[in-house]
Amino acid sequence: MSNTSKNTTPPLLIVDGLTVDYGTKGVSLRAIHDVSFELRAGEAVALVGESGSGKTTTAMAIAGLLSPNARVAGGEVRYRGSPLPIDDDAAMRPHRWSETSVVFQGAMNALNPVHRIVNQIAEPCVLHGMSRAEAMARARELLELVGIPADRGAAYPHQLSGGMRQRVMIAMALACRPSIVIGDEPTTALDVINQAQVLKLLVDLRTKFNLALILITHDLSVVAESCDRVMIMYSGRIVEDGSVADIFAEPKHPYTRLLMDSIPNPAEGKRMLRPIPGDPPTLMKRPLGCAFHPRCPSAMAICATEAPHLNAYGKGRVACHLHNSLAPADKVSVNA
Amino acid sequence: MPDNADILRLENLQVSFPMQSGVFDSILGRPKGVVRAVDGINLNVNRGEIVALVGESGSGKTTVGRVITKLVQPTGGRLLFDGEDMTTTHGFSTLRPYRHRVQMIFQDAYQALNPRHTVFDAVAEPLRSLRLVENRAQLTERVSEALSTAGLNPPQEFFARFPHELSGGQRQRVVVAGALVVKPDFIVADEPVSMLDVSIRAQILQALIDLRDKYRLALLFITHDLPLAWLIADRIAVMYLGRVVEIGSADDITLYPRHPYTVALRNSTPQVRRDAGSGGIQALQGEVPSAARVPKGCRFHPRCPLAFDRCRQEEPSAIEVGPQHLSACWLAK
Ligand SMILES: Nc1ncnc2c1ncn2[C@@H]1O[C@H](COP(=O)(O)OP(=O)(O)OP(=O)(O)O)[C@@H](O)[C@H]1O
Ligand SMILES: Nc1ncnc2c1ncn2[C@@H]1O[C@H](COP(=O)(O)OP(=O)(O)OP(=O)(O)O)[C@@H](O)[C@H]1O
Ligand SMILES: [Mg+2]
Ligand SMILES: [Mg+2]
């Protein structure tokens, strides 16, 4: 990994025990539970996991953009050492976009159809105190940065392809020189060719500006191409965290292993679908103990009663009773 | 009915849209051009067959799907369903039996759902408007079954939720359920699993394949993901700027593509294993030209690494390059 200073530089962002509930019709349901991780400048971390496991909720909490029926039930987010007022929209405003910005999935459809794109990019700069002229200059610079000739800035959104519009969204996210960019499926709506261009752009910008990236995606090939580290979520918790190389070579958590196994592999030559048996838990009926145990081929008695902690394991972390010793060398192999 | 009887046939299908000009163009009274979104497509889908339609953004895939589901009127060519010419059929009550048989899973799960309708009402809507159930119990049973097939279990837990209370992938599964609920014979599935993790994706694809096996459901599966097309489809049609440039069995198109555009698509697909790729993604150069300005000659020639003089002058038509395998390229012979 590129990061040799990993343990000496203080982390840019610390997410510590973050817990978020949603209130619906008088009931409060826990969407994410005790989510903890650190992010360093220039690091690219993927957030992967089951649909509904809490990835968007985690991202929105960090950016202070939770929906009105959400409540931060525990934990905190610290940026450069100070806690962020993540549940106070107004108080988050100076931080959002200038320190942390988000590119939403399908955000390209959110562009205003009646305004020229260059004006839309200049908008956040003006809101953060630039003069109109400075903001326009900055907007043109950003367009060039994302590979759109500045003279196309006069175009309206419908005159650009989906890939170009998504690049406009990235330009807007970078407008106020943030240190962290969160992409929630930023390339899902794009075809492979635009996807490749946008990913390359993100990776280049990351190196150029020492940006930290959190990339939420279902596409494990995107993870392999553009991230150093990957965190796997299942039912509201991080269940595994490690380097892309380690996790792809040897996933530790049974969920991660089965998820990897369900990736179709054209090289095998035969078309096989291998979904993980059983259904994902819902917020209302989350199993006791480890939430994955009813579907886990390696489940033991303890898994049904005690939720495993996310413990350090090797160079990463894993939340699984099969791996909860701090000395992994003492463990017998579990890859039956 | 013979096995290879086609349920859907598109003959030289064309769709042009008047160009959406900018606000200023209309004020200044500039003439409007046309966008040739679909520019002469021939395609058939057999009963119980899954045909994937792949291609870059803007190539016209969704427009083809919208013609099939009668949401867009073609400007030329014919749409035949189960032997019947449906090209000009219109009107709500005339189309009711057709809508019962042909459904679409819409591409954008954020736009496809009405924010004010609960999950139950969203899925129940086609059953109600097509009058396919007699009582509340039947309605509930059909809605539950569809949600469950689409991977939302237990279904009752989702009934009363509004779209904004769902994750992205959950919304997409509600859209899938809304198409399955009427038990159609034909589904246009427009990027139906783009927002799902690989496991749930496999589960939904398996459900679609089971419906095909059990009820001979036919599918036009629209995606930009070539490996995904390979996984689910019997045949793959590759679209570029409104035309099908290559069509063949899923294996032939994926493993032995003949059209330079299909080759480029394949080479742009990122690899899961880092070591498997040969030095990362090779992005195809340039943007897709606008469908309002289709290049002369072969429409792919401005981006084609193999283009020669003839490609700049004459448009190639589809030539047989193998059994059931057609490619529209001057080099195909
Ligand atoms: N506003 C809300 N009110 C109630 N429940 C919600 C709300 N938003 C999300 N949820 C629920 O919280 C859980 C986590 O949702 P989240 O959007 O974070 O998942 P995700 O991991 O991003 O999934 P996907 O990959 O499908 O987008 C889901 O079960 C979802 O139904
Ligand atoms: N209602 C419309 N009016 C004008 N132009 C349109 C309309 N619908 C589609 N188009 C144009 O037709 C072309 C084909 O669009 P279509 O949505 O069918 O592409 P697609 O292959 O589905 O792309 P994607 O992969 O991005 O979904 C595009 O150039 C698009 O801008
Ligand atoms: Mg999400
Ligand atoms: Mg489309």
Side-chain angles (χ1 to χ4, degrees):
Chain A
M1 215 187 300
S2 56
N3 242 326
T4 39
S5 56
K6 200 174 162 90
N7 299 314
T8 53
T9 50
L12 198 56
L13 186 81
I14 298 177
V15 177
D16 186 6
L18 189 62
T19 302
V20 175
D21 294 347
Y22 286 112
T24 18
K25 296 167 197 76
V27 243
S28 178
L29 298 170
R30 185 138 296 177
I32 59 168
H33 192 114
D34 197 13
V35 168
S36 300
F37 66 91
E38 297 179 354
L39 183 72
R40 275 157 222 281
E43 205 179 7
V45 180
L47 196 53
V48 168
E50 196 147 56
S51 170
S53 59
K55 304 179 295 294
T56 299
T57 304
T58 303
M60 291 307 191
I62 294 171
L65 288 169
L66 284 169
S67 35
N69 68 330
R71 190 177 66 93
V72 179
E76 64 175 9
V77 177
R78 291 193 291 279
Y79 179 77
R80 296 191 195 276
S82 336
L84 287 175
I86 54 170
D87 47 7
D88 183 343
D89 182 62
M92 274 298 278
R93 226 161 267 164
H95 174 88
R96 201 185 302 136
W97 310 121
S98 59
E99 308 293 339
T100 301
S101 58
V102 193
V103 181
F104 304 100
Q105 176 186 10
M108 57 201 199
N109 299 324
L111 285 167
N112 190 325
V114 301
H115 289 144
R116 298 177 191 278
I117 56 167
V118 68
N119 296 338
Q120 300 195 48
I121 298 172
E123 201 53 40
C125 305
V126 173
L127 287 176
H128 281 89
M130 271 190 209
S131 74
R132 194 81 220 163
E134 279 171 336
M136 289 303 277
R138 173 79 179 138
R140 279 189 289 271
E141 181 188 312
L142 285 161
L143 276 174
E144 295 279 354
L145 190 70
V146 299
I148 300 175
D151 58 6
R152 297 289 315 262
Y156 294 92
H158 75 268
Q159 294 168 323
L160 303 178
S161 72
M164 285 170 98
R165 273 179 293 163
Q166 197 65 326
R167 276 182 270 164
V168 170
M169 295 312 295
I170 292 174
M172 286 174 77
L174 295 171
C176 305
R177 305 178 205 278
S179 312
I180 302 174
V181 172
I182 304 175
D184 191 352
E185 310 208 29
T187 61
T188 307
L190 303 178
D191 62 69
V192 282
I193 288 163
N194 277 304
Q195 175 177 310
Q197 290 170 351
V198 169
L199 283 178
K200 189 170 177 315
L201 172 70
L202 280 175
V203 170
D204 291 350
L205 292 172
R206 173 192 159 206
T207 348
K208 204 161 166 186
F209 299 111
N210 206 27
L211 265 185
L213 281 179
I214 300 178
L215 203 62
I216 299 175
T217 179
H218 287 304
D219 191 334
L220 295 162
S221 54
V222 165
V223 174
E225 297 276 354
S226 43
C227 294
D228 315 313
R229 212 175 105 202
V230 54
M231 297 190 292
I232 314 283
M233 283 191 84
Y234 186 82
S235 190
R237 292 177 188 261
I238 295 177
V239 296
E240 184 163 5
D241 172 11
S243 76
V244 166
D246 287 350
I247 289 192
F248 279 57
E250 205 197 338
K252 305 283 187 305
H253 197 284
Y255 170 68
T256 316
R257 184 152 49 85
L258 291 174
L259 188 71
M260 300 286 174
D261 283 351
S262 49
I263 304 170
N265 183 2
E268 278 175 18
K270 55 177 186 304
R271 296 178 240 168
M272 286 260 287
L273 288 164
R274 281 173 296 237
I276 303 175
D279 281 308
T282 60
L283 300 190
M284 284 187 209
K285 288 198 206 67
R286 189 169 275 148
L288 283 178
C290 169
F292 190 58
H293 88 263
R295 304 169 78 187
C296 181
S298 324
M300 307 173 289
I302 187 176
C303 305
T305 54
E306 256 179 72
H309 289 287
L310 181 60
N311 289 326
Y313 187 89
K315 277 179 275 168
R317 298 182 296 168
V318 61
C320 176
H321 290 300
L322 294 167
H323 301 286
N324 68 1
S325 153
L326 289 174
D330 297 343
K331 277 277 176 208
V332 275
S333 168
V334 289
N335 290 341
Chain B
M1 190 75 56
D3 249 10
N4 58 357
D6 54 41
I7 185 162
L8 178 89
R9 176 175 286 276
L10 305 176
E11 289 177 356
N12 192 25
L13 190 77
Q14 294 160 34
V15 181
S16 305
F17 293 109
M19 199 133 84
Q20 288 181 350
S21 45
V23 181
F24 294 102
D25 300 321
S26 29
I27 295 171
L28 297 174
R30 289 193 192 137
K32 290 184 180 174
V34 291
V35 178
R36 274 141 66 191
V38 178
D39 199 11
I41 277 189
N42 295 299
L43 186 70
N44 72 302
V45 180
N46 296 332
R47 229 168 261 284
E49 189 184 31
I50 303 178
V51 175
L53 196 56
V54 303
E56 255 167 302
S57 187
S59 56
K61 306 179 297 293
T62 297
T63 307
V64 171
R66 290 171 67 86
V67 168
I68 296 169
T69 45
K70 298 294 296 175
L71 297 170
V72 163
Q73 187 59 31
T75 44
R78 295 210 302 165
L79 161 68
L80 297 147
F81 187 79
D82 212 359
E84 202 181 327
D85 191 331
M86 298 298 298
T87 322
T88 55
T89 317
H90 63 278
F92 184 81
S93 47
T94 333
L95 280 174
R96 189 177 289 147
Y98 186 73
R99 298 213 191 283
H100 181 189
R101 298 187 66 191
V102 181
Q103 282 287 318
M104 180 146 178
I105 300 172
F106 290 96
Q107 178 170 13
D108 187 343
Y110 282 85
Q111 284 174 8
L113 295 173
N114 184 328
R116 284 180 299 275
H117 289 179
T118 61
V119 168
F120 186 92
D121 287 334
V123 179
E125 198 280 325
L127 292 176
R128 286 179 171 140
S129 72
L130 297 170
R131 298 193 207 126
L132 299 176
V133 284
E134 272 142 31
N135 52 47
R136 180 80 194 182
Q138 270 186 12
L139 186 71
T140 308
E141 192 192 314
R142 291 282 288 268
V143 170
S144 302
E145 191 191 357
L147 285 171
S148 182
T149 309
L152 291 171
N153 282 307
Q156 296 75 10
E157 203 171 300
F158 293 91
F159 280 0
R161 298 244 213 131
F162 288 94
H164 71 265
E165 297 173 328
L166 300 172
S167 78
Q170 288 166 343
R171 281 180 218 213
Q172 189 163 45
R173 283 175 279 165
V174 173
V175 177
V176 171
L180 297 180
V181 76
V182 308
K183 308 195 181 204
D185 297 327
F186 190 94
I187 293 181
V188 176
D190 197 355
E191 303 275 10
V193 295
S194 59
M195 294 160 78
L196 302 175
D197 64 79
V198 279
S199 168
I200 294 183
R201 180 178 289 201
Q203 184 188 334
I204 307 269
L205 295 177
Q206 191 59 57
L208 292 175
I209 290 171
D210 290 346
L211 290 173
R212 181 271 290 278
D213 293 346
K214 238 190 261 169
Y215 305 110
R216 317 221 33 191
L217 169 73
L219 277 167
L220 184 69
F221 193 98
I222 299 175
T223 176
H224 57 248
D225 184 338
L226 197 53
L228 176 61
W230 169 78
L231 194 66
I232 181 134
D234 302 305
R235 285 188 298 142
I236 298 176
V238 181
M239 260 187 103
Y240 187 76
L241 265 189
R243 282 266 169 103
V244 171
V245 295
E246 184 167 7
I247 183 165
S249 74
D251 282 339
D252 281 349
I253 297 293
T254 315
L255 306 171
Y256 315 105
R258 294 293 296 273
H259 196 284
Y261 177 63
T262 315
V263 174
L265 263 191
R266 192 188 59 175
N267 293 346
S268 312
T269 306
Q271 304 286 324
V272 173
R273 316 272 162 199
R274 256 184 185 160
D275 48 14
S278 48
I281 322 160
Q282 295 163 265
L284 185 63
Q285 293 307 303
E287 295 275 338
V288 197
S290 154
R293 258 168 277 123
V294 175
K296 183 167 177 265
C298 169
R299 52 196 65 210
F300 185 56
H301 89 257
R303 299 168 83 195
C304 182
L306 306 174
F308 57 104
D309 271 350
R310 188 171 191 185
C311 311
R312 289 180 262 275
Q313 307 302 327
E314 277 176 78
E315 175 138 46
S317 46
I319 308 170
E320 193 150 3
V321 292
Q324 298 248 27
H325 187 173
L326 303 174
S327 171
C329 173
W330 290 122
L331 293 168
K333 271 176 283 187

